[in-house]
């Protein structure tokens, strides 16, 4: 029997949050609930063998606005798809052509959008904390963080963790290395919170200019040498060098970075046989990863994108239905 709103069941009572702002404040149980719900959406809806539209209208009649103030391909598209797969109406807001360019504040913009009857706002903004401020100001509306500056990117970390869990069947006891531009990565921070809560060991690896000592407070191991850690890592998450966020160039040249930190065929040969290679995307071929590794059998980069839709379906369903419970 394929899933329908009747057979799917009610949202789990244990989930009570109407916003998803980051993984720092979520418990291990809450993260596991999100992952388990995403797993169900992936296997029962996205992989429905009968291909019945791959939809389940659990959020029919609800409206979600995608408020993206920074560029995005994967996150914006997959939040949009996730909302539509759940039967919601999804409105795409174009920040560049909005009244923000006429001097309106983000709170006023959001309140005006809400006055049109919106149930959920998915927001990406370059200023850390913007989703948190909105969540305090907007009543009866769920706020989901799709990346706030260099702070957090919870759904990216959830899809990374789901991809790892699907491959290894567990997170506990695995060693996961985050390689590259740790300093500017919101994905790294959310990954660390999530992975550590679920019992993984995390190593941050990159040039010292991109891996500051402050990250030690998050309980991670450090390495400035990728070659030194290759044989003992189960999962490599290869982060993009985020030139757009850097004020000064943190290393002499891209060529030198690639020589020391690119995951290439030679380095892959020194890894564990079942090593998993992931990357949040967009990838820069030849910088943090070479094409033969990105397209090779150890890479789960496209699988991550599929998991991204499932994770966002879970996040939207849980938060928007919790929002309804709370507002009653
Ligand atoms: C990441 C982001 O925007 O923070 N990408 C993404 O969401 N798919 C990482 C990046 O841009 O490198």
């Amino acid at each position: 029997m394929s899933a329908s709103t009747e057979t799917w069941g009610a949202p789990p009572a244990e989930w009570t949050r109407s916003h998803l702002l980051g993984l720092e404040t979520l418990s291990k149980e809450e993260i596991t609930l999100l992952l388990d719900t995403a797993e169900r959406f992936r296997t029962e809806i996205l992989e429905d063998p009968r291909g019945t539209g791959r939809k389940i209208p659990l959020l029919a009649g609800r409206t979600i606005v995608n408020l993206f103030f920074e560029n995005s391909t994967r996150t914006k598209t997959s939040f949009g798809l996730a909302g539509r797969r759940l039967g919601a109406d999804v409105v795409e807001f174009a920040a560049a052509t909005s009244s923000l360019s006429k001097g309106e504040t983000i709170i006023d913009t959001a309140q005006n959008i809400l006055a049109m009857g919106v149930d959920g706002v998915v927001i990406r903004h370059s200023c850390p904390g913007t989703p948190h401020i909105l969540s305090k100001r907007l009543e009866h509306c769920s706020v989901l963080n799709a990346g706030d500056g260099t702070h957090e990117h919870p759904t990216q970390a959830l899809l990374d963790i789901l991809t790892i869990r699907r491959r290894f069947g567990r997170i506990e006891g695995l060693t996961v290395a985050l390689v590259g531009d740790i300093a500017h990565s919101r994905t790294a921070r959310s990954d660390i919170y999530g992975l550590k809560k679920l019992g993984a060991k995390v190593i941050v690896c990159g040039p010292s200019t991109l891996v500051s000592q402050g990250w030690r407070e998050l309980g991670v191991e450090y390495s400035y040498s990728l070659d030194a850690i290759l044989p003992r890592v189960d999962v490599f998450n290869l982060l993009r060098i985020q030139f757009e966020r850097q004020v000064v160039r943190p290393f002499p040249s891209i060529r030198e970075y690639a020589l020391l930190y690119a995951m290439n065929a030679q380095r892959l040969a020194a890894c564990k046989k079942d090593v998993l290679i992931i990357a949040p995307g967009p990838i820069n071929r030849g910088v943090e990863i070479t094409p033969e590794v990105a397209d090779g059998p150890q890479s789960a980069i496209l699988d991550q994108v599929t998991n991204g839709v499932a994770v966002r379906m879970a996040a939207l369903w849980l938060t928007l239905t919790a929002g309804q419970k709370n507002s009653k």
Side-chain angles (χ1 to χ4, degrees), residues 15 22 34 39 49 57 78 90 106 116 129 145 147 192 195 204 220 223 227 232 240 265 285 290 309 314:
W15 183 271
L34 273 162
E39 179 69 38
S78 85
V90 179
I106 185 160
M116 299 176 205
N145 182 1
I192 292 169
L195 287 165
V204 289
V220 296
S223 176
D227 290 318
R232 64 187 180 96
R240 187 176 64 87
R285 289 170 183 261
T290 57
V309 178

Side-chain angles (χ1 to χ4, degrees), residues 18 64 79 102 191 245 269 275 295 302 311:
S18 52
I64 298 161
F79 261 117
K102 299 181 188 171
D191 272 348
R245 296 193 185 284
V275 71
D295 304 327
L302 291 179
V311 155

Side-chain angles (χ1 to χ4, degrees), residues 36-256:
D36 292 346
T37 309
E39 179 69 38
R40 257 192 95 190
F41 279 123
R42 166 128 192 188
T43 51
E44 294 181 38
I45 307 298
L46 301 180
E47 290 174 357
D48 178 0
R50 302 183 328 151
T52 48
R54 299 195 292 272
K55 276 193 171 188
I56 183 159
L58 297 167
L59 292 182
R62 308 294 183 90
T63 304
I64 298 161
V65 177
N66 257 348
L67 272 180
F68 277 63
F69 296 92
E70 274 188 3
N71 295 342
S72 172
T73 307
R74 277 148 290 267
T75 308
K76 190 173 180 198
T77 314
S78 85
F79 261 117
L81 258 181
R84 289 183 188 96
R85 296 245 183 273
L86 292 166
D89 295 317
V90 179
V91 179
E92 302 290 347
F93 172 87
T97 54
S98 74
S99 285
L100 283 158
S101 60
K102 299 181 188 171
E104 186 174 65
T105 68
I106 185 160
I107 301 280
D108 284 332
T109 299
Q111 270 169 345
N112 276 276
I113 291 173
L114 273 197
M116 299 176 205
V118 167
D119 305 287
V121 170
V122 177
I123 179 159
R124 168 172 286 192
H125 200 283
S126 59
C127 185
T130 306
H132 306 69
I133 293 170
L134 278 190
S135 72
K136 291 199 172 68
R137 298 294 293 268
L138 305 184
E139 275 181 36
H140 310 316
C141 176
S142 295
V143 177
L144 292 97
N145 182 1
D148 61 326
T150 56
H151 181 221
E152 278 225 46
H153 192 354
T155 55
Q156 178 65 47
L158 289 166
L159 75 88
D160 292 346
I161 297 170
L162 182 63
T163 306
I164 299 169
R165 198 179 77 162
R166 296 192 105 232
R167 180 68 72 98
F168 290 94
R170 67 190 164 100
I171 298 297
E172 176 116 45
L174 294 178
T175 300
V176 182
L178 310 175
V179 183
D181 191 351
I182 312 296
H184 301 94
S185 177
R186 49 197 174 205
T187 298
R189 190 182 302 272
S190 294
D191 272 348
I192 292 169
Y193 291 136
L195 287 165
K196 287 197 57 75
K197 280 178 186 167
L198 298 184
K201 177 184 183 61
V202 180
I203 306 176
V204 289
C205 174
S208 57
T209 45
L210 290 176
V211 183
S212 77
Q213 293 292 321
W215 288 81
R216 270 193 209 285
E217 285 167 25
L218 299 184
V220 296
E221 188 187 320
Y222 271 67
S223 176
Y224 299 129
S225 163
L226 177 58
D227 290 318
I229 61 170
L230 292 175
R232 64 187 180 96
V233 169
D234 298 295
V235 183
F236 283 97
N237 190 2
L238 305 171
L239 304 174
R240 187 176 64 87
I241 301 298
Q242 306 199 357
F243 292 109
E244 75 277 15
R245 296 193 185 284
Q246 295 165 2
V247 184
V248 285
R249 188 180 279 254
F251 41 75
S253 70
I254 293 177
R255 196 167 162 271
E256 179 171 318

Side-chain angles (χ1 to χ4, degrees), residues 253-264:
S253 70
I254 293 177
R255 196 167 162 271
E256 179 171 318
Y257 178 82
L259 271 174
L260 293 171
Y261 295 104
M263 184 57 79
N264 54 29

